[in-house]
Amino acid sequence: VQLQASGGGLVQPGTSLRLSCAASGRTFDNYAVGWFRQAPGQEREFVAAITGNGGAKYYGDSVKGRFTISRDNAKSTVYLQVASLKPEDTAVYSCAAGTMMADVISEYDYLGQGTQVTVSS
């Protein structure tokens, strides 16, 4: 499975973005997908995950209530709607795919290149 994240950019605090994770190569709905982020000088942090059929979702504590994960298997794409952005949300956001939903990146089999989100006034 090849993954590519997109949709990042430079935004002001309080605004929203929709990040996309486009997949190719294998039957996409067989895979759970997780979003992770990493800020400069910090460890990678779990953001959200979704099962292959979209029936279950899981969020990191720092983004609960502000971020929403969803997927469209017909388009082989997982989305991360990020709202009420804060400067501390600034990071490279990456997506990963695997057989089970998890909050640890080592549990995933495939990792895509990330997209930069910068929140600044």
Side-chain angles (χ1 to χ4, degrees):
V1 175
Q2 292 80 45
L3 303 168
Q4 179 65 57
S6 63
L10 173 62
V11 297
Q12 292 189 338
T15 59
S16 301
L17 281 175
R18 189 177 76 163
L19 307 183
S20 298
C21 174
S24 61
R26 294 199 178 201
T27 306
F28 185 58
D29 56 0
N30 287 342
Y31 292 92
V33 172
W35 281 97
F36 294 81
R37 67 184 182 184
Q38 188 165 22
Q42 297 188 23
E43 293 187 355
R44 184 178 280 124
E45 177 188 15
F46 169 72
V47 175
I50 189 168
T51 53
N53 63 5
K57 304 172 184 179
Y58 178 41
Y59 296 93
D61 289 341
S62 63
V63 305
K64 281 180 182 176
R66 296 191 298 124
F67 290 13
T68 303
I69 191 170
S70 62
R71 67 189 297 157
D72 183 342
N73 285 341
K75 296 182 178 179
S76 296
T77 302
V78 170
Y79 303 101
L80 185 69
Q81 184 73 36
V82 297
S84 302
L85 283 162
K86 306 173 183 179
E88 51 264 41
D89 293 318
T90 295
V92 175
Y93 286 70
S94 303
C95 54
T99 56
M100 295 183 67
M101 187 171 65
D103 59 4
V104 179
I105 196 144
S106 59
E107 295 296 319
Y108 291 88
D109 301 310
Y110 306 96
L111 177 64
Q113 290 191 341
T115 185
Q116 175 72 46
V117 173
T118 302
V119 185
S120 176
S121 56

